[in-house]
Amino acid sequence: MANHISLFSQFILTFLISSLLICCHGISDERKTYIVYMGDRPKGDFSASEMHTSMLQDVVGSEGSDLMVYSYKRSFNGFAAKLTNEEMLKLAGMEGVVSVFHNEKKQLHTTRSWDFMGFSEHVRRSTALETNIIIGMLDTGIWPESESFNDEEFGPPPKKWKGICQSSSNFTCNNKIIGAQYYRSDGYFAPNDIASPRDSEGHGTHTSSTAAGNSVGKASMLGLALGTARGGVPSARIAVYKVCWSDGCYEADILAAFDDAIADGIDIISISIGGFYPKDYFNDSIAIGAFHAMKNGILTSVSAGNSGPDPETVFNFAPWFLSVAASTIEEILYQGKGVSINTFDLENEMYRVIYGGNAPDIRNGFNQSASRYCIQNSLDKTLVKGKIVLCDYISSGETASAAGAIGTIMQDGYFQDVAYNFPLPASHLALSDGFGVSEYVNKTRKPTATIFKSIARKDELAPYVVSFSSRGPNPITKDILTPDLAAPGVNILAAWTEGCTITGLVGDNRVLSYNIISGTSMACPHATAAAAYIKSFHPKWSPAAIKSALMTTEAEFAYGAGHINPVRAINPGLVYDAGEDQYVEFLCGQGYSTKQLQLVTGDNNTCSEVPKTISSNLNCPSFTLSAPSGQSLGRVFHRTVTNVGSAKSTYRAVVKTPKGLKINVTPDVLSFKNLGEQKTFVVTVTAKMGNASISGSLIWVDGEHQVRSPVIAYVSS
Ligand SMILES: *[C@@H]1O[C@H](CO)[C@@H](O)[C@H](O)[C@H]1NC(C)=O
Ligand SMILES: *[C@@H]1O[C@H](CO)[C@@H](O)[C@H](O)[C@H]1NC(C)=O
Ligand SMILES: *[C@@H]1O[C@H](CO)[C@@H](O)[C@H](O)[C@H]1NC(C)=O
Ligand SMILES: *[C@@H]1O[C@H](CO)[C@@H](O)[C@H](O)[C@H]1NC(C)=O
Ligand SMILES: *[C@@H]1O[C@H](CO)[C@@H](O)[C@H](O)[C@H]1NC(C)=O
Ligand SMILES: *[C@@H]1O[C@H](CO)[C@@H](O)[C@H](O)[C@H]1NC(C)=O
């Protein structure tokens, strides 16, 4: 899950398991689920299911239909089926197949955050249009009884809505949550899973309420972050597509949800889910789903991932996404020197402290090299019970809690820019403060301590991109900026499920309706809502135009194009628009064959007819190039802008060029007479690379608007 907290204990294990899966398939005859992607939905009369079954039977014989998992046919063409490696290869060579890929697992990746973005509760809204906006949430489901999803002031669903509500297991929709479905191809439900759109994890309830939850006064998490919890577009409707379960989110299910969501009539898709490594555009369920969404005028907002701060850690990077990094909000939760979300109050009482390294559970085979890190089951209950345990590493706190500790202090070199939630009183110290505590504990015969309840404090540096947020450049197409922009993703208060505790960890019994969590998962629905807000003013704008408006209206460069500013984004002046044709040109340049692309688009475009556009010509509102350290390079970018500001206007190019960067724009003045009029220009960037990336900008100004694009030169290896 991009909910960062759950990563600690499970990350390494999950990673190992998925690596094993990767290296083992291909050598066995065992059947695995594969996705056979066949591009766009054929026009006219045809029976997709029959066609898919017959293709399957061609390779597996007459038992074919039993092996069918999904038939995708409402928004694009393809199917998922259980195949041996040999059968998979046969299908991959068949006429009409674009790609075949394994059904891999993906993982999931606020009251005050909206005000912080200059987007207050009282902002000008187009409520009549906003209430027609439907946001599709591909996530862990939803807790429909939450106040955040109360439908008191809502009329019936918009007429365009064609989806369903799977009212199984005590789940009902209302006029706020207008649709809900769940997807689990193998029909397996763990004890923690509910076979219904109901959320038993919390993540989906949190992201849904961040995007479109009602305003709920006095929401808080046991007194922390007291305020109003509200979504970015509180009048919008929510359609729930539950694709994630206690063991992860599978590609076959994700594609089935896209297939439905696009056909159901939603306006924006929000998906805070990502994979474990970069995948080719048409070997990835989210990239494929989002491509067909784009073809249908629907923008897909995705979380960049939580694998930062190293470069090239973004695994959701297709240029037709709105890919969102996580930034901090103005408040940080802390107690004394420690950082954590601690709702427990020890009432200043002092407790004995024991160093984990001195409390190994020897009888169960643990020694101090495990117990100093408080590794799972490594602590001796009799030694730890009733004390505060000092651990040399951040962990979930489950082990300390299970061993009967009253609290835990963790010290390590881990980043301090995000606070985590633990099942017991806990404090996470930076290395320097931790050293002092460790020294005190070592040198004192009966060391004592207490742990304060957390309070909120202003973070003077905010907003900045948080350490865990995945970084570009784009691992497949280096010259495309990714992530696109940043939105609040740290310490976000939003609605929670009552189907589990707020941490889901052993030893926690706090079942609450609001919770504070962090992740690019939380940033994504902020951007989703900003996109929906723009759409409520400009219902006809393309996904690329909405993305451009969000990217070019940010003054402050944080990451990607910067930190979103929804209010300015409804009036960007100019947009860099792009439709399916531009993305197809881009894909031609990426080496896809005409045959593959004809299937994907469902028309007769050929790569030889359109220019083999290099990626730098994709009409996006950013300019990216890369070169090895010490080298100089130049690159020419062709761009087109569309006037959406004032009919008669004249824009002048202003460039910001730090040392090492030269930007030349021709022409450098663009005069418009009409709305919707387009002008092209050429940007020549020359970069002399040192050791670090260089970032400058190009801003078109007309006295009223500032249309800003980042210009970034990365050091490539
Ligand atoms: C796509 O996935 C298939 C099967 O999993 C694999 O054989 C193929 O190499 C992948 N293609 C690319 C371009 O990654
Ligand atoms: C249905 O859910 C509501 C709300 O959680 C609960 O109060 C009620 O007992 C549930 N009914 C059944 C039959 O599970
Ligand atoms: C602790 O246990 C591990 C594994 O059980 C072992 O490899 C290591 O040598 C032990 N360390 C000490 C200091 O005994
Ligand atoms: C405290 O003692 C442990 C070993 O028992 C050692 O690893 C650690 O470095 C000591 N802390 C300080 C600050 O000296
Ligand atoms: C594509 O070309 C074929 C043959 O030239 C023609 O029959 C078909 O109608 C064309 N399809 C589209 C969508 O233009
Ligand atoms: C790059 O970094 C190295 C060591 O960090 C330094 O010696 C060198 O001068 C730097 N080069 C440039 C071009 O800044």
Side-chain angles (χ1 to χ4, degrees):
M1 311 248 143
N3 166 4
H4 212 231
I5 300 155
S6 50
L7 286 182
F8 292 124
S9 47
Q10 279 153 24
F11 177 74
I12 297 190
L13 188 61
T14 317
F15 196 78
L16 283 176
I17 292 171
S18 59
S19 319
L20 280 175
L21 285 176
I22 293 156
C23 57
C24 297
H25 74 245
I27 47 171
S28 89
D29 272 355
E30 200 194 318
R31 286 218 148 84
K32 291 201 167 74
T33 301
Y34 287 93
I35 290 127
V36 180
Y37 170 57
M38 302 173 63
D40 200 33
R41 202 177 158 273
K43 293 172 185 72
D45 249 5
F46 95 115
S47 163
S49 314
E50 255 170 54
M51 174 190 185
H52 299 154
T53 308
S54 114
M55 284 175 74
L56 185 56
Q57 283 174 343
D58 276 357
V59 298
V60 302
S62 56
E63 59 175 323
S65 48
D66 298 342
L67 300 170
M68 186 67 83
V69 173
Y70 281 115
S71 183
Y72 307 118
K73 54 194 173 209
R74 295 184 69 199
S75 305
F76 44 86
N77 189 13
F79 59 95
K82 295 192 185 108
L83 304 168
T84 64
N85 190 56
E86 199 183 331
E87 291 160 357
M88 180 274 282
L89 292 173
K90 263 193 205 149
L91 267 166
M94 279 171 84
E95 187 70 28
V97 173
V98 179
S99 61
V100 181
F101 55 98
H102 182 227
N103 180 26
E104 274 171 22
K105 183 155 80 178
K106 291 185 183 282
Q107 57 181 341
L108 291 166
H109 285 226
T110 223
T111 47
R112 290 166 183 180
S113 47
W114 287 112
D115 293 336
F116 189 44
M117 285 166 16
F119 192 48
S120 87
E121 200 168 349
H122 309 293
V123 75
R124 180 169 71 97
R125 286 186 184 281
S126 171
T127 312
L129 289 170
E130 190 175 300
T131 196
N132 269 327
I133 301 267
I134 308 171
I135 300 182
M137 302 294 309
L138 275 62
D139 212 302
T140 62
I142 201 163
W143 190 258
E145 290 82 10
S146 167
E147 261 308 287
S148 290
F149 311 122
N150 182 317
D151 72 344
E152 257 166 37
E153 281 162 29
F154 289 82
K159 288 205 175 61
K160 64 187 173 184
W161 172 245
K162 295 190 225 37
I164 61 164
C165 184
Q166 228 171 354
S167 314
S168 51
S169 304
N170 195 16
F171 183 98
T172 50
C173 292
N174 60 17
N175 286 330
K176 175 77 185 173
I177 303 169
I178 59 171
Q181 267 186 274
Y182 67 94
Y183 301 85
R184 179 76 196 191
S185 64
D186 62 8
Y188 170 74
F189 302 100
N192 288 342
D193 292 326
I194 306 175
S196 113
R198 186 176 288 283
D199 182 8
S200 58
E201 206 279 344
H203 189 275
T205 303
H206 200 276
T207 53
S208 299
S209 72
T210 300
N214 299 321
S215 284
V216 176
K218 298 219 168 117
S220 83
M221 179 192 167
L222 295 172
L224 289 183
L226 186 69
T228 299
R230 87 192 144 85
V233 277
S235 303
R237 319 296 181 114
I238 297 168
V240 174
Y241 300 88
K242 178 171 169 179
V243 295
C244 293
W245 304 88
S246 54
D247 63 344
C249 329
Y250 288 90
E251 309 233 37
D253 296 329
I254 292 171
L255 264 184
F258 268 104
D259 192 29
D260 282 336
I262 295 166
D264 285 348
I266 56 139
D267 295 285
I268 312 262
I269 290 175
S270 193
I271 178 163
S272 292
I273 297 170
F276 294 89
Y277 63 98
K279 288 178 77 183
D280 199 69
Y281 295 121
F282 291 123
N283 256 12
D284 182 77
S285 54
I286 303 181
I288 292 171
F291 187 87
H292 291 280
M294 176 275 294
K295 251 174 100 47
N296 286 278
I298 301 163
L299 180 63
T300 302
S301 172
V302 300
S303 50
N306 296 347
S307 309
D310 291 336
E312 243 179 76
T313 45
V314 182
F315 307 142
N316 282 335
F317 48 73
W320 46 88
F321 290 158
L322 177 64
S323 151
V324 191
S327 59
T328 53
I329 56 168
E330 66 184 337
E331 283 174 327
I332 186 162
L333 289 161
Y334 83 118
Q335 352 89 322
K337 299 244 175 194
V339 174
S340 81
I341 304 171
N342 181 30
T343 64
F344 303 102
D345 194 351
L346 292 181
E347 296 175 339
N348 295 349
E349 200 171 316
M350 302 299 282
Y351 291 89
R352 279 291 301 278
V353 182
I354 185 164
Y355 175 51
N358 292 337
D361 187 352
I362 293 162
R363 270 168 309 174
N364 284 314
F366 290 97
N367 60 29
Q368 64 164 25
S369 59
S371 67
R372 61 181 288 221
Y373 300 117
C374 301
I375 283 165
Q376 202 172 16
N377 298 330
S378 66
L379 296 173
D380 186 328
K381 290 192 174 64
T382 53
L383 293 171
V384 163
K385 195 168 189 313
K387 298 185 184 132
I388 290 175
V389 198
L390 172 66
C391 308
D392 287 338
Y393 196 63
I394 188 166
S395 71
S396 69
E398 260 179 320
T399 299
S401 170
I406 204 88
T408 180
I409 298 172
M410 295 170 277
Q411 59 114 8
D412 57 23
Y414 211 80
F415 293 95
Q416 295 279 303
D417 52 3
V418 54
Y420 297 103
N421 204 334
F422 304 92
L424 75 172
S427 182
H428 176 219
L429 297 173
L431 215 46
S432 51
D433 296 319
F435 184 85
V437 173
S438 174
E439 196 172 39
Y440 161 74
V441 171
N442 284 0
K443 288 193 174 152
T444 312
R445 218 163 59 83
K446 288 185 173 173
T448 58
T450 190
I451 296 169
F452 300 127
K453 187 170 174 174
S454 301
I455 52 173
R457 166 184 79 182
K458 264 217 163 350
D459 183 350
E460 302 296 342
L461 299 173
Y464 53 90
V465 172
V466 66
S467 56
F468 66 69
S469 190
S470 287
R471 273 28 180 206
N474 181 324
I476 301 260
T477 315
K478 295 254 184 306
D479 295 350
I480 296 282
L481 181 74
T482 192
D484 296 309
L485 40 76
V490 177
N491 299 342
I492 306 298
L493 176 77
W496 201 247
T497 176
E498 289 173 36
C500 71
T501 65
I502 53 170
T503 61
L505 295 170
V506 175
D508 197 350
N509 50 22
R510 294 168 296 173
V511 174
L512 303 174
S513 30
Y514 289 86
N515 193 9
I516 299 169
I517 57 172
S518 302
T520 52
S521 275
M522 283 65 245
C524 169
H526 279 94
T528 304
Y533 180 69
I534 296 175
K535 189 138 185 167
S536 73
F537 285 88
H538 307 290
K540 296 225 157 69
W541 279 14
S542 72
I546 293 175
K547 175 172 165 177
S548 170
L550 284 169
M551 287 176 72
T552 60
T553 47
E554 178 40 57
E556 189 178 2
F557 180 83
Y559 201 79
H563 201 260
I564 50 172
N565 184 337
V567 174
R568 277 178 52 183
I570 59 173
N571 185 14
L574 304 174
V575 291
Y576 293 75
D577 206 352
E580 186 187 343
D581 292 352
Q582 278 78 43
Y583 293 118
V584 169
E585 280 180 33
F586 161 81
L587 290 166
C588 287
Q590 296 292 296
Y592 287 93
S593 68
T594 294
K595 218 169 149 193
Q596 280 174 312
L597 292 175
Q598 286 185 347
L599 290 169
V600 169
T601 59
D603 60 31
N604 283 349
N605 270 349
T606 62
C607 281
S608 46
E609 279 173 21
V610 296
K612 276 226 175 219
T613 325
I614 52 165
S615 52
S616 54
N617 282 353
L618 183 62
N619 199 37
C620 51
S622 59
F623 303 85
T624 312
L625 58 163
S626 56
S629 172
Q631 287 194 10
S632 291
L633 84 158
R635 177 143 305 160
V636 179
F637 300 85
H638 294 262
R639 291 290 188 272
T640 303
V641 284
T642 308
N643 181 21
V644 295
S646 324
K648 283 199 177 42
S649 49
T650 299
Y651 287 83
R652 191 166 51 80
V654 176
V655 294
K656 298 252 161 77
T657 50
K659 195 165 169 283
L661 204 62
K662 278 204 189 104
I663 304 173
N664 185 352
V665 187
T666 22
D668 61 359
V669 174
L670 303 176
S671 290
F672 295 90
K673 293 195 186 65
N674 301 302
L675 282 178
E677 192 180 340
Q678 299 196 320
K679 293 275 178 203
T680 59
F681 58 93
V682 178
V683 179
T684 310
V685 180
T686 330
K688 190 168 183 310
M689 300 310 298
N691 286 354
S693 7
I694 318 174
S695 51
S697 55
L698 158 64
I699 311 161
W700 289 104
V701 290
D702 72 340
E704 189 192 345
H705 306 94
Q706 296 203 352
V707 189
R708 176 185 301 255
S709 292
V711 180
I712 296 178
Y714 285 111
V715 183
S716 61
S717 39

